[in-house]
């Protein structure tokens, strides 16, 4: 207590005698920092000219900027620039590939990288379904000599990080939350400073029979620099690469392939002889992930078209899945209800029927226990039990698996359903949420709490997994899926599970495409294309049953138990009737 009192006296005394801190003033601002781009115009443009102080951001600044588009901001400074100028960009990223920003300040040009952090703010509409919805605040100190009294120009151009052309079907954009230029005239700009960020990634390759982990180092230069070497000293070895000379400030990304290691170990980074940058840090090895990719299209009878047309589309999707498995034997597909199989069996030849039934027996096509997706919180007990009748009949008649249920899009998850499932002999339950109509993630990140045993009031339980959204292949990797998008988006998706309390080395990617759509043929081969480049994260085509069997076998006894009703969180955010135990 004595030391604490002395501390506060010292602090108060220092505040009394210290000169006032310098204040940073906003020169101009575009948008509000509110985790949303909705205040901007939705009308997209290839190029923008925005006059600070004159233009209206609600009409003249687009929310979205595609790769190749340049947005230019003009503004005046009334006095000679002095002190430190800061350009702060709050961005939202939720396209399959993440662009960089090429920023030019009166012709002084440099590229800056975005490092998105997973976000649960229900800002833009995409946040509802995109499991990689994220944000990032980019802050840049501008050398005052780059600016001038009078007219100035800052331009922002979205560029692809790998500099390759944008592939058809893959969107590469940045969305803006806010942009601000501020100035602290009394804070001296530190010229010539180089800073570094080292990131051990989740990506492992097999080189000469041994695993190497990709470590990315981002160097930020405060001004022009000559060509230099960057050296990473780690685990008894040194790795060196050449950095090209640069004419302005900006960033460089350098990738090192480092033999795999365990835990956290010290490392050193230096640029040139170390006079420019000498940094001591620690590197922690990333987890080696296996991701179960479950191709699946949502069944929503009547939502997109008349019942008869939806029935044929669902049957045609099964035709396509059968053909894909013939071409790519490791491909798997799961329906979103036994109703889809019923439409197929009613309209296809005996040969086609026998073929698909054989694939279901061999777990190459998954059929869930439920007939269709139901609002479990509103359905009667009899309705919920009767929803299993058709699948159970097929199981007895054709000896088909009957082990799991899934709930896609529909937002209610009653605490009685685990007992109902278990009483019917169903062990597993997967849900792909719709957080627009049931914003469960607002109150509890159930995706991060998964997997767990969900126990009903009678003590019976099922193994449960909740996914943030569905159609995740298309949202995460684009259609057709691209390896470049997998590389950019997987680290964001895995942020939800990359914490010590998450024990499994696996996660689930729920579904391929939106409701009632024909399958993109490329989803049958992108996994093999990816696994040909990387050892980890390893992607595996699977059915829901495949995923749950793996979880149950390897982690079943270690997973926590939950008892209660998700609806209580949805309605009041308290969940007073629930408990969650490790």
């Amino acid at each position: 207590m004595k030391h604490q009192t002395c501390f506060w006296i010292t602090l108060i005394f220092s505040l009394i005698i210290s000169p006032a801190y310098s204040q940073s003033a906003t020169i101009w601002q575009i948008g509000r920092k509110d985790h949303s781009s909705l205040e901007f115009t939705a009308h997209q443009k290839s190029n923008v000219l925005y006059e600070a102080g004159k233009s209206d951001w609600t009409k003249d600044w687009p929310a979205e900027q595609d790769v190749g588009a340049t947005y230019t901001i003009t503004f005046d400074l009334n006095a000679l620039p002095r002190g430190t100028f800061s350009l702060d960009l709050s961005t939202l990223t939720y396209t399959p590939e993440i662009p960089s920003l090429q920023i030019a300040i009166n012709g002084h040009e440099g590229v800056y990288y975005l490092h998105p952090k997973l976000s649960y703010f229900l800002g833009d509409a995409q946040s509802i379904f995109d499991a990689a919805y994220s944000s990032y605040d980019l802050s840049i100190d501008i050398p005052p000599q780059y600016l001038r009294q009078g007219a100035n120009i800052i331009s922002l151009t979205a560029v692809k990080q790998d500099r390759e052309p944008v592939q058809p079907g893959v969107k590469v954009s940045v969305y803006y939350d806010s942009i601000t230029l501020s100035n602290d005239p009394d804070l001296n700009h530190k010229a010539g400073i180089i800073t570094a960020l080292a990131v051990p990634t989740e990506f492992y390759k097999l080189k000469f029979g041994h695993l190497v982990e990709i470590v990315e180092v981002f160097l930020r230069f405060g001004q022009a620099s000559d060509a230099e070497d960057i050296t990473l000293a780690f685990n008894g070895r040194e790795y060196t690469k050449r950095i090209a000379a640069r004419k302005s400030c900006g960033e460089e990304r350098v990738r090192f392939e480092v033999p795999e290691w365990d835990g956290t170990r010290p490392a050193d980074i230096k640029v040139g002889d170390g006079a420019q940058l000498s940094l001591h840090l620690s590197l922690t090895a990333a987890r080696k992930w296996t991701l179960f990719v479950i191709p699946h299209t949502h069944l929503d009878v009547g939502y997109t078209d008349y019942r008869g047309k939806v029935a044929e589309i669902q049957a045609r999707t099964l035709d396509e899945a059968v053909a894909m498995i013939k071409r790519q034997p490791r491909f798997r597909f799961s329906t979103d209800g036994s109703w889809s199989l019923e439409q197929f069996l009613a309209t296809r030849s005996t040969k086609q029927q026998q073929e698909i039934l054989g694939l279901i027996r061999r777990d190459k096509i998954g059929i869930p226990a439920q007939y269709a997706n139901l609002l479990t919180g509103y359905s009667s007990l009899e309705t919920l039990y009767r929803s299993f009748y058709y699948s159970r009949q097929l199981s007895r008649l054709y000896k088909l698996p009957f082990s799991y249920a899934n709930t896609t899009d529909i937002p209610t998850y009653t605490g009685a359903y685990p007992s109902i499932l278990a009483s019917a002999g169903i062990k597993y339950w997967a849900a792909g949420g719709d957080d627009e109509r049931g914003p469960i993630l607002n109150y509890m990140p159930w995706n991060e709490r998964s997997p767990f045993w969900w126990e009903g009031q009678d003590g019976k339980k099922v193994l449960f997994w909740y996914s943030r959204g569905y159609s995740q292949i298309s949202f995460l990797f684009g259609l057709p899926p691209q390896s470049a998008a997998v590389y950019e988006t997987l680290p964001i998706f895995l942020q939800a599970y990359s914490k010590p309390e998450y024990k499994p080395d696996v996660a689930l990617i729920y579904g391929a495409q939106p409701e009632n759509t024909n399958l993109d043929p490329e989803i049958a081969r992108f996994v093999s294309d990816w696994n040909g480049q990387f050892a980890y994260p390893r992607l595996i085509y699977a059915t829901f049953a495949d995923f749950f069997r793996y979880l149950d076998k390897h982690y079943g006894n270690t997973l926590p138990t939950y008892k209660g009703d998700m609806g209580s969180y949805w309605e009041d955010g308290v969940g007073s009737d629930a408990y969650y135990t490790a």
Side-chain angles (χ1 to χ4, degrees):
M1 188 67 181
K2 180 180 179 181
H3 297 295
Q4 205 171 34
T5 304
C6 292
F7 168 76
W8 282 111
I9 292 173
T10 305
L11 177 60
I12 294 169
F13 182 73
S14 65
L15 290 175
I16 293 172
I17 65 170
S18 297
Y21 286 104
S22 57
Q23 296 295 317
S24 180
T26 298
I27 298 173
W28 50 257
Q29 180 173 335
I30 301 173
R32 298 180 298 272
K33 190 173 180 179
D34 55 2
H35 302 280
S36 170
S37 63
L38 297 181
E39 66 262 36
F40 301 125
T41 176
H43 180 63
Q44 199 172 345
K45 302 177 183 179
S46 57
N47 293 290
V48 170
L49 178 60
Y50 186 94
E51 296 181 79
K54 297 180 181 179
S55 297
D56 181 348
W57 71 56
T58 64
K59 299 176 182 178
D60 303 321
W61 189 267
E64 177 185 3
Q65 183 178 14
D66 279 346
V67 160
T70 297
Y71 292 3
T72 301
I73 306 163
T74 63
F75 60 97
D76 290 334
L77 292 178
N78 297 325
L80 287 173
R82 67 183 183 90
T84 296
F85 289 81
S86 295
L87 181 65
D88 297 302
L89 302 98
S90 293
T91 63
L92 303 171
T93 50
Y94 43 83
T95 57
E97 290 189 50
I98 309 301
S100 305
L101 285 175
Q102 182 173 286
I103 301 176
I105 304 157
N106 290 330
H108 301 276
E109 185 177 275
V111 170
Y112 293 86
Y113 293 87
L114 304 180
H115 306 280
K117 304 299 180 186
L118 199 63
S119 172
Y120 290 110
F121 284 96
L122 297 180
D124 290 9
Q126 198 83 343
S127 66
I128 298 163
F129 297 109
D130 194 340
Y133 184 79
S134 50
S135 62
Y136 182 66
D137 293 339
L138 174 64
S139 183
I140 302 166
D141 287 342
I142 300 175
Q145 63 268 28
Y146 286 7
L147 300 170
R148 52 183 173 244
Q149 186 175 3
N152 291 267
I153 298 174
I154 292 178
S155 65
L156 312 173
T157 304
V159 295
K160 275 198 62 168
Q161 293 189 2
D162 55 13
R163 305 287 183 171
E164 294 179 359
V166 177
Q167 298 296 317
V170 176
K171 193 168 182 58
V172 188
S173 303
V174 62
Y175 292 75
Y176 290 102
D177 182 1
S178 67
I179 308 172
T180 304
L181 180 68
S182 58
N183 171 229
D184 187 336
D186 299 320
L187 183 63
N188 291 331
H189 175 76
K190 297 179 180 179
I193 297 296
I194 303 174
T195 58
L197 171 67
V199 182
T201 73
E202 292 86 354
F203 303 109
Y204 291 81
K205 289 184 174 183
L206 197 61
K207 290 290 183 75
F208 306 109
H210 299 282
L211 283 177
V212 295
E213 180 176 355
I214 296 176
V215 176
E216 293 187 337
V217 176
F218 296 86
L219 297 173
R220 177 175 291 195
F221 296 84
Q223 61 182 22
S225 65
D226 296 328
E228 294 282 4
D229 288 337
I230 174 175
T231 301
L232 170 65
F234 180 70
N235 222 13
R237 300 188 186 183
E238 288 192 350
Y239 310 87
T240 300
K241 290 195 174 183
R242 190 71 169 169
I243 309 169
R246 55 187 311 108
K247 298 179 180 178
S248 182
C249 57
E251 294 181 349
E252 293 282 349
R253 176 170 64 179
V254 184
R255 292 188 176 118
F256 296 97
E257 294 182 352
V258 178
E260 66 169 329
W261 75 96
D262 295 322
T264 301
R265 301 188 184 182
D268 291 284
I269 294 173
K270 68 176 181 179
V271 174
D273 60 4
Q276 298 90 331
L277 173 70
S278 182
L279 179 65
H280 183 71
L281 67 159
S282 296
L283 299 180
T284 301
R287 193 180 303 198
K288 298 179 179 71
W289 288 98
T290 298
L291 300 176
F292 285 72
V293 178
I294 301 183
H296 150 283
T297 63
H298 177 35
L299 166 64
D300 204 332
V301 181
Y303 180 70
T304 59
D305 218 311
Y306 294 106
R307 176 189 174 106
K309 186 172 181 180
V310 170
E312 175 54 27
I313 290 174
Q314 289 288 331
R316 190 188 309 159
T317 300
L318 284 171
D319 285 328
E320 294 163 347
V322 170
M324 290 179 181
I325 292 171
K326 288 180 179 178
R327 294 194 304 270
Q328 305 283 341
R330 294 186 177 180
F331 181 68
R332 299 291 182 268
F333 184 76
S334 297
T335 71
D336 204 27
S338 58
W339 186 86
S340 302
L341 179 60
E342 183 183 44
Q343 312 316 306
F344 184 94
L345 296 177
T347 57
R348 295 323 193 243
S349 67
T350 301
K351 179 181 178 181
Q352 289 173 296
Q353 293 176 37
Q354 293 302 319
E355 186 174 35
I356 200 167
L357 291 172
L359 291 172
I360 296 169
R361 288 189 201 99
R362 300 198 300 275
D363 275 335
K364 295 194 173 187
I365 291 180
I367 304 297
Q370 83 282 350
Y371 188 62
N373 292 289
L374 295 172
L375 289 159
T376 63
Y378 292 93
S379 300
S380 68
L381 182 63
E382 182 175 357
T383 298
L384 292 174
Y385 273 117
R386 283 182 177 271
S387 71
F388 308 142
Y389 279 16
Y390 182 66
S391 292
R392 188 58 178 160
Q393 179 186 4
L394 292 177
S395 178
R396 287 195 299 265
L397 187 61
Y398 298 113
K399 300 191 183 321
L400 304 182
F402 183 77
S403 62
Y404 78 93
N406 68 272
T407 307
T408 306
D409 189 20
I410 306 301
T412 63
Y413 310 100
T414 175
Y417 204 48
S419 296
I420 295 169
L421 291 169
S423 296
I426 300 161
K427 296 179 64 177
Y428 310 124
W429 179 21
D434 177 343
D435 290 298
E436 178 182 28
R437 293 175 174 84
I440 292 167
L441 283 176
N442 255 359
Y443 302 117
M444 178 70 72
W446 288 105
N447 59 320
E448 296 189 10
R449 303 293 291 268
S450 300
F452 56 85
W453 293 100
W454 194 340
E455 182 181 321
Q457 295 300 322
D458 61 355
K460 294 178 181 178
K461 59 186 179 181
V462 294
L463 187 55
F464 179 75
W465 176 276
Y466 180 86
S467 284
R468 180 184 182 180
Y470 55 96
S471 306
Q472 289 188 334
I473 292 175
S474 60
F475 278 111
L476 295 173
F477 312 137
L479 283 180
Q482 303 290 329
S483 290
V486 178
Y487 190 91
E488 296 294 339
T489 310
L490 268 188
I492 307 171
F493 173 79
L494 289 171
Q495 286 177 25
Y497 311 109
S498 299
K499 50 186 181 292
E501 56 268 30
Y502 185 88
K503 302 304 181 185
D505 59 355
V506 298
L508 181 154
I509 295 176
Y510 193 117
Q513 301 172 203
E515 42 266 54
N516 309 328
T517 54
N518 293 324
L519 291 180
D520 188 302
E522 294 301 309
I523 67 169
R525 70 171 197 171
F526 87 95
V527 162
S528 58
D529 290 346
W530 172 263
N531 291 338
Q533 301 175 62
F534 294 92
Y536 293 99
R538 185 167 58 114
L539 305 184
I540 297 177
Y541 287 122
T543 64
F544 287 104
D546 292 329
F547 173 69
F548 279 116
R549 280 195 297 267
Y550 182 93
L551 270 183
D552 200 359
K553 178 181 178 180
H554 295 279
Y555 299 98
N557 294 331
T558 66
L559 297 175
T561 296
Y562 168 80
K563 184 174 182 178
D565 190 335
M566 278 194 192
S568 61
Y569 285 94
W570 176 27
E571 291 157 6
D572 57 36
V574 177
S576 57
D577 63 340
Y579 68 80
Y580 188 93
T581 59

